[in-house]
Amino acid sequence: MIYLKNNRLYRRQDKELLCIEPWGSNSLRIRATQNRDFASEELSALLPAAEVEQKSEVTLDIAPEKDRATVVNGHISCRVTRSGKLIFRNGKGDVILEEFFRNRIGNDEENPYNSALEISPRELAPLQGTDNYAALLRFESNDDERFYGMGQYQQPYLNLKGCVMELAQRNSQASVPFALSSRGYGFLWNNPAIGKATFGKNLTEWSARSTKQIDYWITAGDTPAEIMEAYGNATGTVPMMPDYAMGFWQCKLRYQTQEELLEVAREYKRRGVPLSVIVADFFHWPFQGDWKFDPEYWPDPEAMTKELADMGVKLMVSIWPTVEKGSENFSELEERGFLTRTEAGSRMNQLGDACFFDATNPEARSYVWGKIKKNYYDKGIPLFWLDEAEPEFTDYEYSHYRYHLGSDLEVGNLYPRLYARMAYDGLREEGVDNPISLLRCAWAGSQRMGALVWSGDIDSSFRSLRYQLAAGLNMGLSGIPWWTTDIGGFHGGNIHDESFHECLVRWFQFGAFCPVFRLHGFREPFKEALSDSGGGRMFSGAENEIWSYGDKIYGICEKYIRLREVMRPYIKGVMEEAHKKGAPVMRPLFYDFPGDREAWDIEDQYMFGPDILVNPVLEERMTERSVYVPEGEWRHLLDGEIITGPKRVTLKSPLEYMPVLVRKGALPDLLW
């Protein structure tokens, strides 16, 4: 039976309750459950419907027999057939997405597959003894369809057609289950459960290992920009990036003392090289879970932040969600139920006999923020690196851990967004208008919590650099426009190795045209720990400042830092677009040139905002590279030559220079 209630269309068929409703202009939300009602909104990535702008007209039509119906919301429609199959069309009437249904039901012109297979598009297999299900959703596959987004994965593919994506958080993997399709729609799997997405040749599948319902959101648009704007409207956009964050960030694993960090900032000042942010990395604390500086090595944080501020530099500090038994806060956190739990056995893991605070518990978030406020914010530090955001459980045993909101299998992907919310809510309460926090992971909606995602503990290689290009572009197309990498990679990279110098330079050039320009890494040869207690326990990496690699490398890096400074007014405009419309900062060529068929094939170039065409050097010993120039007139940053597209050209790329083209008339002061 199909019926209407509260501007929603419902279908009840035996054990399944299906709901289709408008959720923003040209967009629909679909839910299906076998429970008596739908789950609470605690696990949803979507903003409440009342907060989502609705401009398009909505109509709901039910056939007289009440066995078929159509919901239309502007440029998208959903047809419910007699068999219960769903078919989505755009404003032109073209099918953009269609459920995969194979059964013997005849006389249904909208279900032509008369088949003995008996495969339903929506499956909810009960998990015995619970009100949860293993969910599976199937759609027809189209050979010519391309998929983009889905967050950040360590692989080289921009187009995800043919890929299997684990829906789970890991170090260097951020699962953001939003896919932008070349067929003119965006699809959000609105479920934080551990699962899988398969963009196969024969069908497309979405699954969750433990959930109470199938829940997804779909929008239609004529261009990728329209689709991303609708997604930003439904899930939120980033705050406006603060001006200081658009410059150069200096970081390494790890500055061991307050004086070491200050001396690095002073050296940038002496050299006259612009520096915006410097980072105090992990284990500056006595114990994990103390959330404060060890006074033996960081004796006067207030004086440190004041001296940095006088130099025009912001301090970021690393915050971990881990809590050691030796921490002054462990007993209270355990007593009040603020720690994550396990299905059986000890909750402690390999991270120094530590466990994690439960970021899904609002009281736990408030407690930890209170410590951060007292020991950091009140001492002049408003900028936090929320590390270990997955969180990094032992071997990622998702079936073994449990949160305030439910099992890891059911809610685990939500942790990084709620971890980011801890700092976002706390900073907003202190009057900070545009909070920004660096995290290693994200889920859908993390962007509205001020999440700046970096690509995790990756290795120092050209192969890894190639992976980061695909990761950054797909992250932007997942609604997470604030993204960065460890320039040079994290693991490996000897500062005396000339082959690593080449990788570092090419990465640095790429980093100058990323949303955030940040140098970090665990460089070799390593440095010994200062002591066997407190903040002295952790050893460190070698120097990782731009002068650490010799005069030639220093000269190249300095020039790109100064280029970044010239770009700052332009970057501010691009960040405003990200804030207002959810637009990615770095994006594939097809985003700005959707009608150019060749632009959809380009996976090794990208646009940095609408006017800068970036052509990173991603291979060793490459001194020239092929570049596709899209329509228009473009100024070559190296020599000022005007190149008119569309066409393919070969451009020189010596070590000192990465080929960059600027739209004619834009950024006249941007000169090599």
Side-chain angles (χ1 to χ4, degrees), residues 395-672:
D395 297 326
Y396 299 104
E397 297 158 328
Y398 302 112
S399 61
H400 187 51
Y401 292 91
R402 185 166 290 276
Y403 299 106
H404 172 78
L405 280 180
S407 73
D408 197 9
L409 283 178
E410 182 180 8
V411 308
N413 286 324
L414 194 56
Y415 189 100
R417 195 183 82 189
L418 294 176
Y419 187 25
R421 181 176 179 177
M422 174 194 69
Y424 180 83
D425 287 349
L427 289 167
R428 291 287 291 166
E429 287 176 9
E430 296 301 317
V432 178
D433 292 329
N434 45 1
I436 178 171
S437 298
L438 182 65
L439 292 102
R440 199 167 67 186
C441 234
W443 193 62
S446 286
Q447 67 275 6
R448 67 178 184 258
M449 305 301 172
L452 161 63
V453 181
W454 102 97
S455 58
D457 295 348
I458 52 180
D459 67 287
S460 300
S461 67
F462 273 95
R463 176 190 54 79
S464 183
L465 172 57
R466 292 189 291 274
Y467 286 6
Q468 304 327 300
L469 175 58
L473 293 175
N474 274 325
M475 201 63 163
L477 294 175
S478 306
I480 311 285
W482 290 356
W483 178 87
T484 185
T485 68
D486 294 347
I487 288 177
F490 180 74
H491 287 294
N494 190 301
I495 64 172
H496 306 299
D497 181 355
E498 289 192 6
S499 64
F500 173 64
H501 291 181
E502 181 189 6
C503 181
L504 176 81
V505 164
R506 294 308 193 186
W507 212 313
F508 203 90
Q509 293 165 344
F510 166 67
F513 294 89
C514 284
V516 165
F517 184 22
R518 172 179 159 274
L519 178 62
H520 184 53
F522 189 14
R523 301 287 170 254
E524 301 172 4
F526 302 144
K527 291 184 174 182
E528 295 295 326
L530 299 178
S531 71
D532 58 1
S533 64
R537 288 179 293 168
M538 178 61 64
F539 62 104
S540 177
E543 289 76 10
N544 191 45
E545 293 71 49
I546 62 172
W547 53 82
S548 305
Y549 300 92
D551 291 342
K552 181 179 180 180
I553 305 304
Y554 170 79
I556 298 170
C557 292
E558 181 190 11
K559 195 144 192 174
Y560 275 89
I561 292 174
R562 298 195 185 281
L563 274 175
R564 180 79 177 197
E565 288 296 303
V566 175
M567 287 193 290
R568 284 176 73 148
Y570 171 79
I571 295 171
K572 185 172 184 178
V574 178
M575 292 298 176
E576 286 177 350
E577 186 186 22
H579 168 53
K580 293 176 181 178
K581 297 186 175 183
V585 175
M586 56 184 294
R587 58 255 200 151
L589 269 62
F590 66 73
Y591 187 89
D592 292 282
F593 303 94
D596 184 337
R597 293 179 62 87
E598 189 161 352
W600 288 84
D601 293 328
I602 305 300
E603 298 202 357
D604 62 350
Q605 303 171 229
Y606 66 97
M607 298 296 296
F608 185 60
D611 296 324
I612 299 179
L613 175 60
V614 184
N615 310 289
V617 178
L618 305 173
E619 305 286 347
E620 295 176 84
R621 296 180 292 279
M622 179 181 282
T623 58
E624 62 180 24
R625 62 153 296 169
S626 177
V627 170
Y628 177 70
V629 182
E631 183 180 12
E633 293 184 297
W634 300 84
R635 177 169 57 87
H636 193 344
L637 192 59
L638 180 61
D639 55 17
E641 177 189 359
I642 300 299
I643 303 173
T644 302
K647 66 180 178 183
R648 186 165 285 278
V649 298
T650 298
L651 299 179
K652 293 180 179 179
S653 55
L655 182 64
E656 295 78 11
Y657 176 77
M658 175 182 70
V660 174
L661 301 180
V662 180
R663 200 185 295 269
K664 185 180 179 181
L667 288 88
D669 296 328
L670 189 61
L671 303 169
W672 177 253

Side-chain angles (χ1 to χ4, degrees), residues 208-366:
R209 290 171 61 182
S210 179
T211 186
K212 291 179 173 60
Q213 63 189 23
I214 288 171
D215 187 351
Y216 63 93
W217 176 91
I218 182 171
T219 189
D222 291 334
T223 66
E226 286 183 15
I227 293 168
M228 294 307 300
E229 185 171 359
Y231 179 62
N233 181 42
T235 60
T237 61
V238 287
M240 178 60 198
M241 180 173 277
D243 288 346
Y244 67 81
M246 302 179 202
F248 175 63
W249 297 32
Q250 172 62 49
C251 185
K252 64 162 281 188
L253 187 155
R254 52 187 279 275
Y255 296 121
Q256 293 173 290
T257 68
Q258 175 177 320
E259 184 58 26
E260 182 187 3
L261 182 145
L262 282 171
E263 187 51 38
V264 169
R266 292 168 189 150
E267 183 62 22
Y268 275 101
K269 183 73 172 178
R270 281 192 289 266
R271 292 172 180 257
V273 177
L275 178 64
S276 293
V277 176
I278 194 167
V279 182
D281 201 350
F282 69 170
F283 286 87
H284 60 262
W285 45 70
F287 288 95
Q288 296 173 73
D290 285 349
W291 297 297
K292 67 180 183 181
F293 285 107
D294 186 331
E296 183 174 353
Y297 303 100
W298 306 82
D300 196 343
E302 288 153 304
M304 174 174 57
T305 57
K306 183 180 184 306
E307 182 177 345
L308 290 170
D310 290 344
M311 291 187 280
V313 179
K314 295 282 187 182
L315 176 64
M316 169 178 273
V317 295
S318 174
I319 303 291
W320 277 34
T322 46
V323 186
E324 290 180 87
K325 281 188 175 178
S327 167
E328 62 189 20
N329 299 313
F330 180 87
S331 294
E332 185 177 4
L333 285 161
E334 182 182 40
E335 179 182 333
R336 297 179 67 177
F338 290 170
L339 300 175
T340 57
R341 307 188 298 278
T342 57
E343 295 293 328
S346 172
R347 59 163 51 97
M348 313 309 280
N349 63 37
Q350 85 273 25
L351 295 168
D353 194 27
C355 61
F356 292 84
F357 95 89
D358 188 348
T360 76
N361 185 332
E363 292 184 34
R365 293 197 300 269
S366 179

Side-chain angles (χ1 to χ4, degrees), residues 8 12 31 40 76 89 96-97 122 134 177 186 195 247 256 307 380 417 432 450 483 515 573 639 653:
R8 299 167 179 168
R12 165 60 75 180
R31 286 176 286 175
S40 76
I76 192 170
R89 290 180 169 86
I96 54 175
L97 186 64
R122 303 180 297 273
Q256 293 173 290
E307 182 177 345
R417 195 183 82 189
V432 178
W483 178 87
D639 55 17
S653 55

